[in-house]
Amino acid sequence: MKAAVYRRYGAPDVLRIEDVARPVPGDNEILVRIHATTVCAGDVRFRKADPFFLRFLNGLSRPRKINILGMEFSGQVESAGRNVKRFAKSDAVFGSAGLKFGTYAEYACVADGPAIEAKPASASYEEAAAIPFGGISALHYLRRANIRAGQNVLVYGASGSVGTFAVQLAKHFGARVTGVCSGANLELVKSLGADELVDYTKQDFSKAGRVYDIVFDTMGASGFRRSLRSLKRGGFYVFAASGLLTATIGSAWASLTGRAKLVGGMARIKPGDLLFLMQLIEAGKIGAVIDRRYPLEQIAEAHRYVETGRKKGNVVITIG
């Protein structure tokens, strides 16, 4: 089968298309014929081994455990292990391979569990592939921040893969949402339901005098001190990006004094999460935003575009 393989860490050009053996599913796994995948933050970080500690997970000098990236996927079931009862050959599915990766390929094995569900009938394969990372991350962090109807929520980086879902889900939960993004993306974020908009290239959200119950930083760029200025006492500061250590140190004081509560760490898929998102998509209440589509053969170009920091929502890779 064809796959995008990387044998060393570095720039996007380390990704090369190669012929590799098709994987064989274990007893509790499903072999999926991949129709679409994405370039998400985890793919970029593992490709570059940035931050450095990722080398301890995948090889100090070069990638050893994981050579095929890709976390999100949509496709059709090719075969299933003997213990799998939920799916049969040709079923349309979507989900996340998580840190096992492997979806930059024509076929991938994924574990039968909460990270795979039937594809929403109303969504294309490309749209379905763009749901798990952003959708699950936004849902995980908003729930941990105890989001409730009537609250004021600020989403920093509202036009990214996590941000676009955070805006839509916060509105679904009944919050009043302020979206922070560049001027070029204001209309997009408004179309997703944001009540207020801030162009970070022209305005400092922390000087507007507004106070929020939740400040959700999807990029690691809101600034801990600036966010505290805009957060009501005892509110939640959601930090879903790199640089968490700095925020964690700063939050020690905030937590001790009751000034704020920090929500961070890795987002995890719980049973029912993908089904919940699928139902909202089927009801037309939320949807995936796709910026660009690339064929697998242009995977390096797709990574280069993502690294510009200008993508809106998701960058999708089509396969086959």
Side-chain angles (χ1 to χ4, degrees):
M1 69 173 186
K2 300 289 185 182
V5 179
Y6 80 128
R7 307 291 183 185
R8 57 190 175 89
Y9 301 118
D13 288 334
V14 300
L15 294 164
R16 302 291 181 89
I17 305 299
E18 297 183 10
D19 286 308
V20 300
R22 182 190 298 188
V24 177
D27 290 346
N28 298 302
E29 290 185 321
I30 300 162
L31 179 65
V32 179
R33 180 185 178 192
I34 306 295
H35 288 325
T37 180
T38 68
V39 180
C40 65
D43 301 312
V44 173
R45 290 171 184 159
F46 266 75
R47 190 203 77 228
K48 298 192 298 182
D50 181 18
F52 186 85
F53 76 80
L54 293 179
R55 291 175 181 260
F56 293 101
L57 300 178
N58 200 32
L60 285 175
S61 60
R62 61 183 176 84
R64 295 181 184 275
K65 182 179 178 182
I66 298 164
N67 293 112
I68 301 174
L69 297 172
M71 300 179 76
E72 300 179 280
F73 69 88
S74 66
Q76 290 179 287
V77 175
E78 182 70 14
S79 62
R82 62 181 180 180
N83 294 335
V84 176
K85 307 301 181 185
R86 290 198 300 156
F87 301 106
K89 183 176 173 62
S90 299
D91 284 350
V93 294
F94 80 115
S96 172
L99 293 180
K100 182 181 177 182
F101 291 92
T103 65
Y104 285 179
E106 292 180 313
Y107 295 88
C109 287
V110 295
D112 182 23
I116 182 171
E117 284 289 349
K119 182 182 76 67
S122 61
S124 68
Y125 282 107
E126 290 85 357
E127 291 167 335
I131 294 168
F133 179 78
I136 290 297
S137 296
L139 181 63
H140 171 89
Y141 294 121
L142 287 173
R143 282 177 169 169
R144 286 193 59 199
N146 296 329
I147 188 168
R148 300 186 304 277
Q151 290 185 319
N152 290 309
V153 176
L154 180 136
V155 179
Y156 198 100
S159 60
S161 57
V162 177
T164 51
F165 276 107
V167 170
Q168 295 177 88
L169 286 170
K171 288 298 296 180
H172 170 72
F173 289 127
R176 182 173 180 82
V177 179
T178 296
V180 182
C181 58
S182 67
N185 297 329
L186 291 175
E187 285 303 315
L188 166 65
V189 175
K190 181 179 180 181
S191 74
L192 297 175
D195 301 285
E196 304 288 341
L197 301 166
V198 177
D199 179 351
Y200 71 81
T201 67
K202 297 180 179 179
Q203 302 169 270
D204 182 343
F205 73 91
S206 69
K207 295 181 179 179
R210 299 190 185 97
V211 178
Y212 301 94
D213 299 279
I214 300 171
V215 173
F216 190 158
D217 181 358
T218 71
M219 301 171 58
S222 67
F224 184 69
R225 295 192 181 197
R226 287 197 303 158
S227 296
L228 282 188
R229 285 202 297 268
S230 297
L231 194 63
K232 80 171 189 180
R233 184 173 184 82
F236 285 86
Y237 176 44
V238 179
F239 202 86
S242 59
L244 182 60
L245 178 60
T246 301
T248 301
I249 294 173
S251 73
W253 167 82
S255 297
L256 285 172
T257 61
R259 179 66 185 84
K261 301 181 183 72
L262 180 77
V263 173
M266 182 178 294
R268 299 184 183 279
I269 297 179
K270 295 182 179 179
D273 283 353
L274 274 181
L275 181 61
F276 174 75
L277 294 175
M278 183 183 74
Q279 291 170 340
L280 291 181
I281 289 165
E282 292 282 31
K285 295 181 178 179
I286 67 171
V289 174
I290 297 177
D291 185 350
R292 295 187 180 184
R293 296 170 172 84
Y294 294 84
L296 182 64
E297 291 74 17
Q298 295 179 16
I299 187 69
E301 183 62 30
H303 270 244
R304 273 191 289 271
Y305 176 63
V306 169
E307 287 197 301
T308 67
R310 296 196 297 268
K311 78 175 179 70
K312 304 173 185 178
N314 301 270
V315 169
V316 170
I317 307 300
T318 57
I319 300 175

